[in-house]
Amino acid sequence: MNQKFVELGIDDGLKSYLEGLGYRIKKVFPSESYNCTFLVEHDRYSGLRVVKATSIDHWTKLYNQSEWIREKKNTGMVPKVELVSQSSQFCHYEMEYLDDAENLFSFIHKSSLHQIEKTFDRVFTFLKDHVHTSSPLEIRDDGARDYIHRKILHKLDESEAHLPLLAKFTRQQTVSINGTDYCGPRRLVEALLNDAAALRKVATFRPSFLHGDLTVENILISPSGPYLLDPNDENILSSRALDYAKLYQSLESGYEFMRLTKVLRFDEQRLDFDLEISDVYTKVFDLVQLRVQEALRPDE
């Protein structure tokens, strides 16, 4: 269950809400957002389905996510949304369970490079034909500052509230990560906010519809091909580059490996960890990078 929900006491309420609707919860999937994902049974149908649920405070995001999926139901690359519902406290949507699908991370590590290449070609074609749009360049100076405050500083505040040691680390002028000295996180953000040229670069983009959270873990692979999950519409600077940056986050930065990494040392000035990214991730990043260069204009 989502740790934030556990701390807020929402987890039991969510379970009671779903059970009151007749769902039998078979599994709860780990989550790092305010949406919780359940594998469920119900007397209305045979077999299993997936339910995404959250508190009513986050209804808009959950509803928009379900609508994004519904709008693309005929593409063959999203699961079918069967039901959307809400109460005074909670809300949820129900979608098909792809019991023959596996996550892209596993697929990458057991498939040939040719199979992986074909899969990413389908993902890029889907984005081009059904998601991304091309618009004139815009400059949104206020949007850049808003983005930094909401997406970086707000998340730092939330994380520091849960981890006092992290608060000490992020507020240092200089920190050491795996033996290399870097500017402290909050000092770095402050420097960005005071750099007019850098802010203007962030604020200049071509607005587009997006998936919004296109990491490796949000792509499933079934025998019929890839399925995209968990779109996110909370993107202030909605450039197509953001979708590709999310893939870079996975394939170049090793996001999925980082989540499995053991921290060797962490104190208020130093962080040491042992991160090993597989060779196949590096090869897949190279082929994805070529496709990104073909998909984006030079000014994006």
Side-chain angles (χ1 to χ4, degrees), residues 30-237:
S31 172
E32 294 180 357
S33 72
Y34 282 109
N35 292 339
C36 292
T37 306
F38 302 86
L39 188 63
V40 301
E41 293 177 331
H42 199 285
D43 291 339
R44 288 186 287 105
Y45 50 80
S46 61
L48 298 167
R49 288 188 183 172
V50 172
V51 163
K52 300 273 291 188
T54 188
S55 66
I56 198 65
D57 294 340
H58 302 281
W59 161 248
T60 300
K61 180 175 181 177
L62 193 78
Y63 176 77
N64 288 343
Q65 187 177 87
S66 68
E67 285 300 291
W68 190 98
I69 296 171
R70 276 181 160 173
E71 288 169 1
K72 294 160 182 61
K73 63 182 180 181
N74 295 324
T75 65
M77 287 191 58
V78 294
K80 295 177 183 177
V81 171
E82 308 288 355
L83 175 72
V84 181
S85 184
Q86 67 182 113
S87 71
S88 60
Q89 290 183 293
F90 303 105
C91 53
H92 76 284
Y93 70 83
E94 178 186 292
M95 61 183 175
E96 68 173 318
Y97 173 54
L98 304 170
D99 59 348
D100 57 353
E102 62 180 328
N103 61 65
L104 179 57
F105 183 86
S106 298
F107 176 81
I108 284 174
H109 287 91
K110 74 174 194 180
S111 304
S112 69
L113 199 59
H114 176 66
Q115 290 174 308
I116 298 168
E117 187 173 16
K118 286 176 61 178
T119 296
F120 275 100
D121 282 343
R122 288 194 61 180
V123 170
F124 274 63
T125 299
F126 171 79
L127 293 173
K128 176 178 176 291
D129 293 345
H130 302 289
V131 181
H132 291 165
T133 53
S134 182
S135 304
L137 278 173
E138 292 188 11
I139 300 175
R140 299 183 184 177
D141 290 323
D142 291 341
R145 290 185 177 276
D146 190 22
Y147 184 88
I148 292 168
H149 279 281
R150 286 176 54 183
K151 289 293 188 177
I152 301 177
L153 290 175
H154 178 66
K155 290 185 181 297
L156 274 176
D157 290 341
E158 280 190 331
S159 300
E160 289 174 359
H162 294 289
L163 298 168
L165 181 57
L166 179 64
K168 294 180 180 180
F169 180 83
T170 60
R171 295 171 189 275
Q172 297 293 328
Q173 291 294 301
T174 304
V175 295
S176 172
I177 301 177
N178 283 348
T180 301
D181 289 341
Y182 296 94
C183 179
R186 284 195 176 269
R187 181 184 168 202
L188 184 63
V189 175
E190 183 179 345
L192 176 58
L193 287 170
N194 290 323
D195 188 330
L199 281 177
R200 176 54 61 94
K201 189 172 183 179
V202 172
T204 305
F205 64 99
R206 296 179 182 275
S208 172
F209 292 112
L210 304 175
H211 176 279
D213 197 14
L214 196 64
T215 58
V216 162
E217 64 181 9
N218 281 338
I219 302 175
L220 293 181
I221 307 299
S222 76
S224 62
Y227 280 77
L228 275 59
L229 307 176
D230 294 352
N232 176 19
D233 71 331
E234 294 183 336
N235 297 292
I236 301 165
L237 304 176

